[in-house]
Amino acid sequence: MNSPDTGPPSGNLTPITSNELEPHRLEDNAEHFLVGAVLWFDILSCASTSDAPRLHLEANHLLQGQVDLANIIPCQPWVSLAMNDIAALGAWKTDAISNCSLSFWKLFEKADPIRKRLGDGIAGLRAEIDESFAALGISHLGTMGAYLVLTNPGVQQEAIKRAITLVFAYAAQVYLNTIISGADPKLDDVRNSVVDTMNALQELQFICDAQAFRNLIWPICVAGSMAEDVPTQTYFQSLIQDLGEEAHAFGNTRTTLQIMQKCWASREGSRSGSWDWAAAMESLGQRVLLV
């Protein structure tokens, strides 16, 4: 009598163990991380170069599906998508000015959907934040609210993600408003979005240490460069100075502070208010990746 067949299943299909699958998952994760990093740096760099994102269309596709930027920056993806489109809009405006073909009606038409997406996104995010506060029995993120968040790791992680998203969203509004209305901090749209960014940063300070703020050089520089009055400028200057010597030695924080100060000083000594971070970089002879 023959012994039972203990060989491989028909067709030589050997079952795959979880250990054999793991390297493929690691490779996929690594690939997604690298692609995400390239897309993120491409988007961030446009504020410094005034160029369109090289991967504009690819970013719009990948960031809505395969690539999650959460491993690079804990920020909801709709903000990075808006920043991607704002950068493309800024490059379009620069080209139109160079060709003497700028139509402000066309500019407003292109900008309006982005403005609406940002506004809707911020309103939705604010609603999420309010609901999370209500669940904790608080109405705002003060000292008591911060204690309740910080003593609950699950709540803290989501609270930080929402707070960082809000900072980038308001700074993206600064970015968009300077393209639409001009780089003048006296304009209501620009001034209000700068103040909103500052308020969001202050809320974030309740639940984050200085280490987390090293990932916020882009919003700090964009909003801080457009700060109009001395108290607001002092706040953004203190944010950079409080990051510590390690950040100054290995990052772009010192240069970021120089960029903001160049904007403030140049506007003060000029009749024209049209000084933004990109103009300051050009004047300083530097193109800085704001990371």
Side-chain angles (χ1 to χ4, degrees):
M1 182 176 179
N2 294 332
S3 61
D5 184 7
T6 58
S10 61
N12 292 326
L13 297 177
T14 305
I16 299 175
T17 67
S18 60
N19 289 337
E20 290 174 312
L21 279 174
E22 188 65 24
H24 298 286
R25 286 200 294 269
L26 290 174
E27 288 173 8
D28 289 343
N29 290 340
E31 181 180 342
H32 289 169
F33 175 83
L34 291 172
V35 171
V38 170
L39 292 174
W40 182 238
F41 291 153
D42 184 39
I43 293 169
L44 293 184
S45 69
C46 295
S48 306
T49 64
S50 299
D51 293 332
R54 294 176 181 271
L55 301 171
H56 180 226
L57 296 178
E58 291 84 355
N60 282 335
H61 171 68
L62 291 169
L63 294 179
Q64 295 183 77
Q66 297 172 313
V67 176
D68 184 4
L69 292 180
N71 292 326
I72 301 166
I73 179 75
C75 184
Q76 295 175 1
W78 60 268
V79 177
S80 56
L81 288 166
M83 291 165 57
N84 188 46
D85 289 340
I86 293 168
L89 177 68
W92 174 87
K93 179 184 177 182
T94 299
D95 289 343
I97 292 173
S98 298
N99 297 327
C100 300
S101 62
L102 178 62
S103 163
F104 284 101
W105 288 110
K106 189 67 173 178
L107 175 63
F108 298 151
E109 180 184 348
K110 285 178 169 289
D112 191 58
I114 308 173
R115 184 203 291 269
K116 187 177 187 305
R117 279 165 46 207
L118 266 178
D120 290 347
I122 289 171
L125 181 58
R126 275 294 184 192
E128 287 180 25
I129 292 172
D130 289 344
E131 288 174 8
S132 67
F133 287 169
L136 293 173
I138 57 177
S139 60
H140 63 283
L141 194 58
T143 304
M144 179 56 68
Y147 172 78
L148 293 174
V149 169
L150 292 172
T151 53
N152 189 326
V155 172
Q156 181 186 16
Q157 185 176 5
E158 281 303 310
I160 290 173
K161 183 175 182 178
R162 291 190 187 104
I164 288 176
T165 300
L166 196 62
V167 169
F168 271 97
Y170 280 132
Q173 280 193 328
V174 177
Y175 190 11
L176 179 60
N177 288 332
T178 59
I179 292 172
I180 298 172
S181 303
D184 186 346
K186 294 183 177 63
L187 298 171
D188 285 344
D189 286 346
V190 176
R191 180 194 298 115
N192 292 339
S193 52
V194 169
V195 171
D196 286 337
T197 308
M198 180 176 69
N199 290 338
L201 285 164
Q202 289 173 330
E203 290 179 19
L204 182 61
Q205 284 180 294
F206 279 109
I207 54 175
C208 281
D209 57 17
Q211 179 76 24
F213 278 74
R214 297 180 186 182
N215 295 318
L216 302 177
I217 297 301
W218 189 91
I220 290 172
C221 186
V222 167
S225 295
M226 301 309 300
E228 178 188 11
D229 55 70
V230 172
T232 307
Q233 293 171 359
T234 300
Y235 173 77
F236 282 99
Q237 178 171 292
S238 298
L239 272 183
I240 294 293
Q241 292 173 335
D242 291 346
L243 291 180
E245 287 303 318
E246 182 181 347
H248 299 329
F250 296 102
N252 285 326
T253 56
R254 289 189 188 277
T255 308
T256 298
L257 183 55
Q258 292 173 1
I259 292 165
M260 294 192 299
Q261 290 173 333
K262 181 66 177 178
C263 283
W264 305 334
S266 298
R267 282 197 293 264
E268 185 177 340
S270 171
R271 294 181 180 179
S272 171
S274 297
W275 272 86
D276 64 8
W277 55 92
M281 288 184 194
E282 184 175 353
S283 178
L284 292 168
Q286 302 185 64
R287 293 294 187 188
V288 180
L289 182 60
L290 298 173
V291 294

